[in-house]
Amino acid sequence: MKITNICCIGAGYVGGPTMAVIAEKCPHIKVTVVDLNEARIAAWNDDDINNIPIYEPGLNEIVGKARGKNLFFSTNVDKAIDEAELIFISVNTPTKTYGTGKGMAADLKHIELCARQIAKVAKNDKIIVEKSTLPVRTAEALKSILDNTGNGVKFQILSNPEFLAEGTAVQDLLSPDRVLIGGETTPEGQNAIEALVDVYANWVPRERILKTNVWSSELSKLTANAFLAQRVSSINAISELCEKTEANVNEVAKAIGMDSRIGSKFLKASVGFGGSCFQKDILNLVYISKAFGLNEVADYWEQVIIMNDHQKRRFSKNIVQTLYNTVSGKKITFLGWAFKKDTNDTRESAAIYVADDLINEQARIALFDPKVEQKQVLSDLNYLDTRQPEENANSITTFQNPYEACADAHAIAILTEWDEFKTYDWQKIYDSMLKPAFVFDGRNLLDAEKMRAIGFVYQSIGS
Ligand SMILES: NC(=O)C1=CN([C@@H]2O[C@H](COP(=O)(O)OP(=O)(O)OC[C@H]3O[C@@H](n4cnc5c(N)ncnc54)[C@H](O)[C@@H]3O)[C@@H](O)[C@H]2O)C=CC1
Ligand SMILES: O=C(O)[C@H]1O[C@H](OP(=O)(O)OP(=O)(O)OC[C@H]2O[C@@H](n3ccc(=O)[nH]c3=O)[C@H](O)[C@@H]2O)[C@H](O)[C@@H](O)[C@@H]1O
């Protein structure tokens, strides 16, 4: 089967960039990305390509090239479903906030709604692709919904998890380490897999396209994120030990990373990992393990989250302790709010939790992030529901200029590793601050020696 028409439900951080790259690399395929969120679709269609809703290096060029030719963004979900031979489901699957599994399990309500919508609209056979990250065996539930419509339409369900990282999404999509496709072992399942392989093979070498059964594919996605997050928690655990022993975590990371069995990537100690997925996917893994009675397995993975929470909390605690045990009324400047550099995504960013702790201690927070605005910052804080929204609004102020944000501050906390922070005139910043001028570098971004030579009391993670 040759695919000529693709629909993607969900125009978010995954759906948008993924479909833009498919459209660019497959000019013979019409790709329509649909979403219920009208404002988001309007932003994807904005005449000014710089206003698309997601900031990713290189994304606006790719969208700009394909949009209106074979890449379309629309709120007409039914029409796009009806026309497509292959439908990606790329909707959000957050941690449940209610009922059984609250705070642990993945909330699959959006997934189920998509399945029901497809079942209602489809008039001919279709391939349904799980692009969202899902608990292992979700395809079973999807199949049950889709196969019980009684309209004779046949569906094949594939799992094709996405491994892109934000900030490098375009590069990751153009040159993925691997593309994973899981499907049924029946001839129909294998045909569906081959149809999707043929789409990716337009730019991904075939030897990097991995075919498995559905369950392996679903579970591999959760496992990959768990392993990645575990490395960060592991090095962060060691960072605390370094601080007690005069070892330096950067040196330790380098020393162990040169062992080819360990490898050098993902060993950067930090204020804690953030992002919409690591925590959610590990909690999901823990929940599934517990559901199967595998308590030791669950406890093992839960420790990754416990360590990460500890790392965020001890960062804020250290700021308070170092500032003579009180930050009440003190101006503390945050550089960075996004959960990592080169993205405007702030979901689960460590900065949110550090700010929450410091506001509890009555600090006044000034913030500069090159891509995040006050509205988003307040929405992140209000989501925690720690205090009244007005109190959050009175406690944190976003600046457009980093130097203004830092002037008269007691301390600066670096929460995101934006490259531009390294290029600032730190002498000028030092001169404008109250003394002693403290810098808490949650990303080990700056040169400790240079900072101390200027006069800063400079503290980083793990040294
Ligand atoms: N953000 C990331 O870097 C990665 C995310 N993932 C996974 O991909 C999935 C999507 O993540 P994001 O793109 O970050 O989420 P997102 O929240 O940015 O986008 C999801 C979109 O789906 C839309 N939506 C929800 N229900 C809908 C429905 N019934 N009909 C039409 N549209 C609907 C929402 O309005 C939203 O715009 C999640 O399962 C996530 O775990 C996987 C790899 C990377
Ligand atoms: O499923 C997902 O959503 C994605 O989750 C992560 O991607 P992402 O969260 O976008 O970004 P990462 O580069 O993994 O960083 C996650 C967090 O860990 C932190 N981190 C990362 C690496 C490191 O060495 N140290 C460290 O503190 C980052 O600052 C960030 O807060 C995975 O890397 C992707 O493969 C996956 O597709």
Side-chain angles (χ1 to χ4, degrees), residues 68-90:
K69 291 193 188 113
N70 66 327
L71 174 65
F72 302 91
F73 294 92
S74 163
T75 49
N76 195 337
V77 181
D78 287 359
K79 180 166 179 278
I81 291 175
D82 181 32
E83 290 175 357
E85 296 132 3
L86 185 147
I87 301 169
F88 285 97
I89 301 182
S90 186

Side-chain angles (χ1 to χ4, degrees), residues 56-261:
E56 276 291 337
L59 181 61
N60 49 8
E61 283 93 337
I62 290 201
V63 172
K65 270 196 259 171
R67 200 177 59 178
K69 291 193 188 113
N70 66 327
L71 174 65
F72 302 91
F73 294 92
S74 163
T75 49
N76 195 337
V77 181
D78 287 359
K79 180 166 179 278
I81 291 175
D82 181 32
E83 290 175 357
E85 296 132 3
L86 185 147
I87 301 169
F88 285 97
I89 301 182
S90 186
V91 299
N92 38 329
T93 50
T95 304
K96 265 186 96 176
T97 52
Y98 55 88
T100 310
K102 178 179 175 180
M104 298 291 285
D107 190 343
L108 299 181
K109 70 178 173 201
H110 302 299
I111 294 285
E112 179 166 345
L113 277 175
C114 289
R116 292 192 182 277
Q117 192 83 4
I118 294 168
K120 194 176 80 184
V121 172
K123 297 196 277 290
N124 48 16
D125 297 353
K126 295 186 191 299
I127 300 172
I128 310 301
V129 185
E130 299 174 345
K131 184 53 107 177
S132 298
T133 302
L134 297 170
V136 56
R137 297 206 76 90
T138 304
E140 204 168 32
L142 282 182
K143 195 162 174 47
S144 166
I145 294 168
L146 290 166
D147 283 353
N148 283 295
T149 54
N151 61 2
V153 175
K154 288 204 174 58
F155 296 98
Q156 273 302 318
I157 298 166
L158 301 179
S159 161
N160 171 222
E162 184 48 61
F163 295 101
L164 70 81
E166 290 179 26
T168 53
V170 171
Q171 197 187 312
D172 294 343
L173 288 165
L174 290 175
S175 180
D177 286 351
R178 75 329 205 163
V179 167
L180 177 58
I181 303 175
E184 281 183 18
T185 46
T186 57
E188 295 81 8
Q190 295 301 304
N191 286 342
I193 291 180
E194 289 311 321
L196 185 55
V197 167
D198 286 343
V199 173
Y200 283 108
N202 282 291
W203 78 99
V204 180
R206 281 184 187 264
E207 62 275 13
R208 282 203 227 155
I209 306 178
L210 200 63
K211 299 176 250 180
T212 66
N213 77 34
V214 190
W215 321 124
S216 304
S217 173
E218 287 179 338
L219 187 56
S220 297
K221 174 62 197 178
L222 293 183
T223 308
N225 274 358
F227 268 61
L228 289 168
Q230 180 219 45
R231 281 175 71 94
V232 179
S233 274
S234 296
I235 199 69
N236 281 343
I238 296 301
S239 76
E240 192 171 13
L241 194 54
C242 286
E243 289 165 23
K244 300 282 181 216
T245 57
E246 291 183 37
N248 178 314
V249 77
N250 297 331
E251 292 178 352
V252 173
K254 187 166 181 193
I256 64 165
M258 283 173 76
D259 185 326
S260 60
R261 294 169 303 174

